[in-house]
Every structure is written in C-alpha cells, then in structure tokens.
Amino acid sequence: MIETPYLLFLGDAPDQLAAKVAQGIRDWRPENAVGQFRLDGCKADLGLPDMTLEQAKATGVKTMVIGVANRGGTISAAWREVLVAALEAGFDLASGLHNLLRDWPDLVRAAEANGRTLHDVRIPSVQYPIANGEKRRGKRVLAIGTDCSAGKMYTALALDKSMREAGQKSTFRATGQTGILITGDGVPLDAVVADFMAGSIEYLTPDNDPDHWDIIEGQGSLYHVSYSGVTLALIHGGQPDALILCHEPTRTHMRGLPGYRLPTLEQVRDTGLALAKVANPDCKVVGVSINTQHMSEDEAKAYCAKVEAEMGLPTVDPFRHGAARLAAALEEI
Amino acid sequence: MIETPYLLFLGDAPDQLAAKVAQGIRDWRPENAVGQFRLDGCKADLGLPDMTLEQAKATGVKTMVIGVANRGGTISAAWREVLVAALEAGFDLASGLHNLLRDWPDLVRAAEANGRTLHDVRIPSVQYPIANGEKRRGKRVLAIGTDCSAGKMYTALALDKSMREAGQKSTFRATGQTGILITGDGVPLDAVVADFMAGSIEYLTPDNDPDHWDIIEGQGSLYHVSYSGVTLALIHGGQPDALILCHEPTRTHMRGLPGYRLPTLEQVRDTGLALAKVANPDCKVVGVSINTQHMSEDEAKAYCAKVEAEMGLPTVDPFRHGAARLAAALEEI
C-alpha cells in the first residue's frame, strides 16, 4: 500500500505522452495528486501546482511518484539527485519503471538512512497463495478484450467512477503498474509466478459486502497468444459475476502479432463466458465498451449503435459517453 | 542441460512412492540411470546396482540426482554429508525439491571448490522471451486433461517411446520438475513469470524438421481454476498441431477443489480445440488417453471402448495398452 497523497515527478519528460502515468493519477484520483515536480526542459504539464519538496511536505505529501517513462533503460543521475533529496525530505518513492529503484545503491542508502520505503510496483511484494476456487461474498466485474490495450483499464476506472457517483459500492482493483500507482495498491499480475496467478487475484478481491462490486482491471486477451494465460488466470481467480467486452475497432491485427487477426466480439463473448462459468456458473456478459478514439463523433455513435443492435447489450465508449449505462447494467444483476 | 548418466540418490526414502522421481527416470530413461545410492533405512529399491561414489565415478556417472521427496521441508544433515561428498567426487547435483540446493552454504561452497553445478530444476535458469506467435517448422502435440494429475506426463512419455520405436522423429519436451529430471532439460513452467509463460514454451519447442514431433508435457487443465492460465499458455505457446485428451474416470471432483466437478471430455475437446486454433488453425484432436489405474482390466477395456465410440477417436490407456495407436494417429496428420 502506497501512502497518499502524491507529488508527481515528471522529470525531463520530452512530451505529454511520456507522463501518461502521472496523467492517469491526475485524471482518476485527483485527490491524490497535489502537485507536480519538473526538471529543466520538461515538456509535460498536468496543470497542477509546481512544488518544491519543502512545499510538498507542507501540503502533506507522503510519496513522490515517478509519473514519467525514462529513457535509455536507466535512471539518470539528474533524476537520482532529486529522488535522494525526496527521500531525505521524508517522502517514500513509488515507481513502475522496469529499472528498479532498489537496484540503485544511492537510493537504497538514502531510503534506509531516512526510514523511507521504495515501492517498485512492477515486482510483487506479497507471497500470493495458490487459488482455492472458493466462492467469495460480494460481486465482481471483469473487462475482457478482443486484444491487449483495447481500453480495459480505462473502462474499469470509468465504471468505478460512475458507480460511486450513483451511490453504488465499488472498488477498482488494479492488476497492472499504472493502475497500482493510480490507486496505491494492487497486484502486478504480469510479474507473478505462474502457479500463483489465479491466487493473486483471489487475494486482490476478497470477501466483501453482498452489494459491493470489485471492478477488476483486465489484462491481455484470451485471443492474444503472448498473454492469454494471464487473462484466463484473471477470469478464474476473479470469479466474475459480470463480464464487459472491450474492443478497439480500427485494429488490423493483434497488438504486436502481425499474423493474427482480431476475434469477433461474439467469439470473445462465447469463449470468455464459457470459461468464466467454470468458476462462477451465474456469470453474465452485461455490456460492451468500445474505444472510439480513432473515430469521429458520428462514426463512434453509429458504431456503438450497430454493436448494440447486434449483441443486444448496452454499448458505449466510456470516454465519450460515460460509463453510466454499464453501471446501470450491473445494478440489474 | 543436466549431464548424464545419473546416480540416483534415494536417501532414507520411507517407501517406494517417495522415490517416484527416481522411478520415473529408471522407467523412461533407463540408459541414464546407472545406479542407486541409498542411506541406512531406505525402503525404496529401483532394482539398480547400489553404488558407492567411487564405483559411480568409474562407471562414468556425471550427475547425482535427488530422486526422492524430502521430509519436514528441509535437507537433512545426513543428506548434505552425502551431497557434499558427491560434489567432491566430481559429480554435479540435480534436484526438484522445493528446498533449493543453492540455499545451503555447505553445498554452494563444495560446488564452487570443485567446479561443479547445482541444478535446482524448480527455478528457471533462462530469461525466456515474450511469445511472438510466429509459426515454427516441425510438428507438436500436447496432452490436455479434464483435471490435473490425469496422466498427461505419462501419456507424453509413452507416446514419445512408441514413436521412437516406430522410427518416427520425436522429442519429449518437459514442462515440470519430474520431466526435467527424467530428460535432463525443459522448462519449469509453474515457476515462470506470467508474461513469459507462452514464450518459454516457444523457446522449448523451436523450429525442427518438418516430420519431427515435439511431445509437449501438459500441465493443469483449462477447467482447473488454480492453474488454467498455465494450461492456456501451453496451448498458445506450443502451437500444437494435435491435441490428446487425458482423463481419469474415477475422480469425483477436481483435484484439490472439492466444489468443482470435472468437465466432460467433449467440453475439454471443444474448448481446448477452439483455443488451440487461435495459434494454429489446423490443430486437430487425435486421440484420448484414459488413466485406468483404479479399474479392473475388464472395466478398463469397456470404458475405453465406450469413450472411443462416443468420441470417434482412438482411446487407450497407454500404461495398459501402449501408446502405439496414438502414435499412429499422429502419423496421419
């Protein structure tokens, strides 16, 4: 569990896209994002107050989060100087970079000297159990996609927001690095050892109130041969009561696999539901989320209407249209 | 790659079953098993010559394999005394125990001092790639089960033996600890990090002659919620041309999951084949392997005949009837 609120470190980000982790925190947990810290030449701006470490401390910040991708597979000396100063100022550090904070002796020394914690969220910090398959109280919904990077995390976060706004009880359950940094907790599923994947998701989504929904962040796709095993572990460990299908209509092949065509939404519905029923015979497919970022407003509306008619399920782009109709569909379960 | 041949260490095995890893090596790779080493009180016997370390050395042994389960979650001082002596005699050590050899300083010291290798086959020794899904030359067959421990490894080893005897080109590809110790090589799939599971199976089954078969050892089951993700990674990383269905008919529930009933063979066929076709559209289900160990000879015959009629596929217990009919079915692909 990463302590909040955060100061978002943007470093020397070459553009806004490089700071997308920080942007995600700002968009989805604005209450956690009290300020930004930028180095000379930073081209990203979250519209948050630029703060010195002293100002952040005075505002109650607990953790400095690295909200930017690094370059060249290293953590530069310029970055480390700031990170050491942040540890000395009494902040924990959190990072989802492939280069681990814990591999830098200067950071380890400063953390130890100041009693601070280095959170490398790419690496599990828990010894997860093997899944026992037992039924848990409370409800769970999982987004499954025709492909990787089809909008599953965005869909889950938007759904969580809509449900909270509607007064429903819900918790976004992160299974990837960005989601973990946004919420401060979760399972870095892609780094979990094979035997413990499903168990890690059981651990992530424990017993809860009967009317509480865990919104589980999806990963991969049953049809993406590189990561399909991770997706199935999510389905069987998560025991979802509801599935939402995610799709990005302009893809010409599976992400990173030029020889693989996308499955249809019908295929994902049928395969996903049959497998989900192994763990939860009452599971239902409740809606479709379309990522229409590469379509015009009219195209997006028409495409969603067409899918809605074909599938007989509420179909929205949660970014354009909000997730209220998906939240409403869950209310009916 | 573990160097052969082996001296099989049986320690103080309380019964024959405790030495089942050694028994597997003796049954399937008798040419690798030149002798056994037993401590006082050992109740297991493989029918191999009992050898001193000196005798084993003279016979050309390269590696001492721990072929017995340990007790109490430790490697006892009595064992370690022998293991250190084996390293000093010039043997490598290989073990599939949960307690790693490398965690014992006396073993590490003796290995370093004598230039020997400690093989802990539970832990991957390779940084596997992420799967790229590209088509590989040569053919592959995978056994998938209605449940865990339904006879998949036995089926694969028996099939490999039948194919070699029939002059077909085949290689058994181990994906678990016992299989790795039997053959000296393989991928400990249950210990591979999630993102690299499918890639590890691509690595295990590379390009080969067009008429060569990799016989891939199966793991878990698509219907076993604790391990199903591992099974799907095998299916998508292995790109099988052929599937063999494995079943143990007397199970009343999924292994370790009292609340879960077994799927039917038809369900495993349909679900497994549909998922396999994502990676290899030409994949076919070619046969059924029944584990009839809890049935009489007559019951076993009748059961296999019934399944053969229902499924329209060659159905055998490879232990009782041999795997020749399964090997013949592969010839037709």
Side-chain angles (χ1 to χ4, degrees):
Chain A
M1 194 83 193
I2 304 168
E3 283 195 80
T4 57
Y6 301 153
L7 177 64
L8 301 176
F9 176 77
L10 306 188
D12 43 3
D15 52 35
Q16 193 73 12
L17 192 62
K20 71 177 179 181
V21 168
Q23 188 71 49
I25 296 170
R26 161 126 184 59
D27 287 348
W28 295 108
R29 292 292 183 274
E31 68 276 21
N32 289 349
V34 302
Q36 62 188 14
F37 188 104
R38 302 191 289 172
L39 295 172
D40 284 349
C42 181
K43 301 281 190 346
D45 184 354
L46 301 175
L48 291 172
D50 285 291
M51 288 187 179
T52 64
L53 298 176
E54 294 66 30
Q55 289 168 328
K57 192 77 191 172
T59 322
V61 162
K62 295 283 195 289
T63 302
M64 178 184 259
V65 174
I66 299 183
V68 58
N70 59 338
R71 284 179 284 185
T74 186
I75 299 178
S76 69
W79 282 30
R80 295 207 310 283
E81 190 179 322
V82 176
L83 301 181
V84 166
L87 291 164
E88 288 170 348
F91 302 127
D92 292 338
L93 295 181
S95 162
L97 300 179
H98 279 287
N99 302 98
L100 303 184
L101 299 175
R102 70 187 67 170
D103 288 341
W104 295 91
D106 47 354
L107 299 182
V108 172
R109 271 194 305 271
E112 281 174 1
N114 295 281
R116 307 318 317 162
T117 302
L118 303 177
H119 297 281
D120 284 306
V121 305
R122 245 170 220 285
I123 306 295
S125 55
V126 170
Q127 175 54 62
Y128 301 113
I130 286 178
N132 63 28
E134 289 174 16
K135 183 78 186 155
R136 307 186 298 285
R137 288 191 310 278
K139 291 178 176 165
R140 286 155 199 89
V141 55
L142 172 69
I144 62 174
T146 51
D147 193 3
C148 298
S149 310
K152 294 186 296 293
M153 183 184 79
Y154 193 100
T155 300
L157 284 161
L159 184 58
D160 177 50
K161 187 160 180 275
S162 283
M163 292 181 77
R164 289 181 188 215
E165 285 170 359
Q168 294 168 271
K169 294 184 198 171
S170 87
T171 309
F172 171 76
R173 299 295 190 184
T175 62
Q177 285 77 22
T178 304
I180 294 172
L181 289 174
I182 288 174
T183 59
D185 204 2
V187 167
L189 184 57
D190 62 8
V192 172
V193 163
D195 252 5
F196 304 99
M197 293 186 299
S200 76
I201 303 304
E202 291 188 348
Y203 172 94
L204 181 68
T205 60
D207 273 331
N208 213 317
D209 296 343
D211 58 345
H212 175 276
W213 283 91
D214 274 332
I215 321 288
I216 307 173
E217 181 190 356
Q219 296 292 340
S221 165
L222 288 171
Y223 287 81
H224 194 295
V225 296
S226 310
Y227 309 113
S228 54
V230 179
T231 309
L232 186 51
L234 265 167
I235 292 174
H236 282 167
Q239 293 181 351
D241 302 275
L243 295 173
I244 291 172
L245 311 179
C246 295
H247 183 53
E248 202 280 74
T250 67
R251 295 270 165 89
T252 55
H253 61 74
M254 297 294 282
R255 189 173 164 88
L257 303 176
Y260 288 80
R261 292 175 58 189
L262 267 73
T264 63
L265 279 163
E266 287 82 354
Q267 284 176 300
V268 175
R269 174 193 65 197
D270 294 345
T271 307
L273 187 59
L275 289 166
K277 285 188 174 204
V278 173
N280 185 349
D282 297 328
C283 185
K284 292 183 176 57
V285 178
V286 298
V288 183
S289 171
I290 306 289
N291 177 345
T292 64
Q293 64 177 319
H294 300 299
M295 296 174 145
S296 72
E297 187 68 33
D298 285 350
E299 284 172 331
K301 269 191 194 152
Y303 189 88
C304 288
K306 176 169 110 33
V307 171
E308 179 147 347
E310 285 170 0
M311 303 285 291
L313 293 167
T315 301
V316 298
D317 180 338
F319 184 80
R320 277 187 146 135
H321 317 128
R325 292 187 62 214
L326 300 176
L330 291 181
E331 280 255 62
E332 288 170 24
I333 287 196
Chain B
M1 193 84 194
I2 304 168
E3 284 195 80
T4 57
Y6 301 154
L7 176 64
L8 300 176
F9 177 77
L10 306 187
D12 43 3
D15 52 36
Q16 194 72 14
L17 190 62
K20 71 176 178 183
V21 168
Q23 187 71 50
I25 297 170
R26 172 156 184 25
D27 287 349
W28 296 107
R29 292 290 183 274
E31 68 276 22
N32 289 349
V34 301
Q36 61 187 16
F37 188 105
R38 302 191 289 172
L39 295 172
D40 285 349
C42 180
K43 301 280 191 347
D45 184 354
L46 301 175
L48 291 172
D50 286 290
M51 288 186 179
T52 64
L53 298 177
E54 293 69 27
Q55 290 168 328
K57 190 78 190 169
T59 322
V61 162
K62 294 284 193 291
T63 303
M64 178 184 260
V65 173
I66 299 184
V68 56
N70 60 339
R71 285 178 284 187
T74 186
I75 299 178
S76 70
W79 281 30
R80 296 207 308 283
E81 192 179 320
V82 177
L83 301 182
V84 166
L87 291 164
E88 288 170 347
F91 302 126
D92 292 339
L93 295 181
S95 161
L97 300 179
H98 279 287
N99 302 98
L100 303 184
L101 299 175
R102 70 186 67 171
D103 288 342
W104 295 91
D106 46 356
L107 299 183
V108 172
R109 270 195 306 271
E112 281 174 3
N114 295 282
R116 307 319 317 164
T117 302
L118 302 177
H119 296 282
D120 284 306
V121 304
R122 244 171 220 285
I123 305 294
S125 55
V126 171
Q127 175 55 60
Y128 301 113
I130 286 179
N132 63 26
E134 288 173 18
K135 183 77 185 157
R136 306 185 298 286
R137 288 191 311 276
K139 291 178 176 168
R140 287 155 198 89
V141 56
L142 173 68
I144 62 174
T146 51
D147 193 3
C148 297
S149 310
K152 292 185 296 293
M153 183 183 79
Y154 193 100
T155 300
L157 284 161
L159 183 57
D160 177 49
K161 187 160 181 276
S162 283
M163 292 182 77
R164 290 180 187 217
E165 285 169 0
Q168 294 169 269
K169 294 185 198 170
S170 87
T171 309
F172 170 77
R173 299 296 189 182
T175 62
Q177 286 77 21
T178 303
I180 295 172
L181 289 174
I182 288 174
T183 59
D185 204 1
V187 167
L189 184 57
D190 63 7
V192 173
V193 164
D195 252 5
F196 304 100
M197 293 186 299
S200 75
I201 303 305
E202 291 188 349
Y203 172 95
L204 180 68
T205 61
D207 272 332
N208 214 317
D209 296 343
D211 58 343
H212 175 277
W213 282 90
D214 274 332
I215 321 287
I216 308 173
E217 182 190 354
Q219 296 291 338
S221 165
L222 289 171
Y223 287 80
H224 194 295
V225 295
S226 309
Y227 308 114
S228 54
V230 180
T231 309
L232 187 51
L234 264 168
I235 292 174
H236 282 166
Q239 293 181 352
D241 302 275
L243 296 173
I244 291 172
L245 311 179
C246 295
H247 183 53
E248 202 282 73
T250 66
R251 294 271 164 90
T252 54
H253 61 74
M254 298 294 282
R255 189 174 163 88
L257 303 175
Y260 287 78
R261 292 175 59 188
L262 267 72
T264 63
L265 279 163
E266 286 84 353
Q267 284 176 299
V268 175
R269 175 194 64 197
D270 294 345
T271 307
L273 187 59
L275 289 166
K277 286 188 173 202
V278 173
N280 184 348
D282 298 326
C283 185
K284 292 182 175 58
V285 178
V286 297
V288 184
S289 171
I290 305 290
N291 177 345
T292 65
Q293 65 176 318
H294 300 301
M295 296 175 144
S296 72
E297 187 66 33
D298 284 350
E299 284 171 331
K301 271 193 196 150
Y303 189 87
C304 288
K306 175 168 114 23
V307 170
E308 179 147 348
E310 285 170 0
M311 304 285 290
L313 293 167
T315 302
V316 299
D317 180 336
F319 184 80
R320 277 186 146 138
H321 317 128
R325 293 186 63 214
L326 300 177
L330 290 182
E331 279 256 62
E332 289 171 26
I333 285 198

